[in-house]
Amino acid sequence: MDRLSGRCMCGSVTWTYSGETIRNLVCYCADCQRATSSPMTAFLGLRPSRLHWAGKIEHYESSPGTHRGFCPRCGTRLYFQSQKWRDEIHIHAATLTNPGEYQPDAQVLMRSRAAWLDHLSSIPGHQGFQIDPER
Ligand SMILES: [Zn+2]
Ligand SMILES: [Zn+2]
């Protein structure tokens, strides 16, 4: 049985989990893109009854019966929960204490995937910024 933990950017909200991980997926849907201001997001599908939160959380109802939680202090997106997925909560994998350990096994809503993601490997990469900020 896995033990997982995570937090928002400012640390006001933390979570711990002990139980099975139902899903490890990358979502490209249009709502996730808007909600996270990002071309994709990665989720852990967990059992809500085994998840424990600490700290104040607010949520936005992005469609009827679907709630997206976030930290009201720093704005970090925390979870997606919907009446369509009754015994699951989808936690944003980037909130993991060790996000580098995340292992996605599926990509979903490919029809909404931004076309430029296909070309990332051909775009020059830099360890820092390619142009430093002016002083
Ligand atoms: Zn926060
Ligand atoms: Zn999505």
Side-chain angles (χ1 to χ4, degrees):
M1 200 160 268
D2 274 4
R3 277 197 75 81
L4 297 168
S5 63
R7 63 173 177 85
C8 66
M9 179 187 271
C10 77
S12 296
V13 179
T14 58
W15 59 267
T16 55
Y17 184 75
S18 175
E20 63 178 328
T21 300
I22 308 154
R23 299 173 196 278
N24 289 290
L25 59 80
V26 174
C27 186
Y28 298 106
C29 86
D31 281 356
C32 281
Q33 290 183 37
R34 290 282 169 192
T36 64
S37 316
S38 186
M40 69 179 89
T41 195
F43 284 117
L44 296 156
L46 306 178
R47 296 294 183 207
S49 61
R50 307 193 66 91
L51 180 66
H52 298 283
W53 293 102
K56 181 174 160 48
I57 298 171
E58 290 190 10
H59 67 257
Y60 174 69
E61 189 168 13
S62 58
S63 59
T66 295
H67 294 90
R68 292 171 181 270
F70 58 94
C71 170
R73 181 159 181 251
C74 71
T76 297
R77 289 286 166 162
L78 299 164
Y79 69 83
F80 165 99
Q81 193 165 28
S82 172
Q83 290 171 0
K84 291 179 204 155
W85 308 73
R86 289 200 171 271
D87 197 26
E88 296 184 29
I89 183 167
H90 295 175
I91 302 295
H92 287 282
T95 67
L96 280 164
T97 301
N98 298 307
E101 294 175 3
Y102 178 71
Q103 298 281 345
D105 55 28
Q107 302 179 71
V108 300
L109 283 299
M110 293 293 285
R111 63 174 181 257
S112 301
R113 191 175 194 265
W116 61 264
L117 289 172
D118 294 340
H119 309 298
L120 278 182
S121 62
S122 65
I123 298 171
H126 307 271
Q127 292 301 326
F129 290 94
Q130 85 278 32
I131 301 169
D132 287 327
E134 290 179 32
R135 287 191 223 175

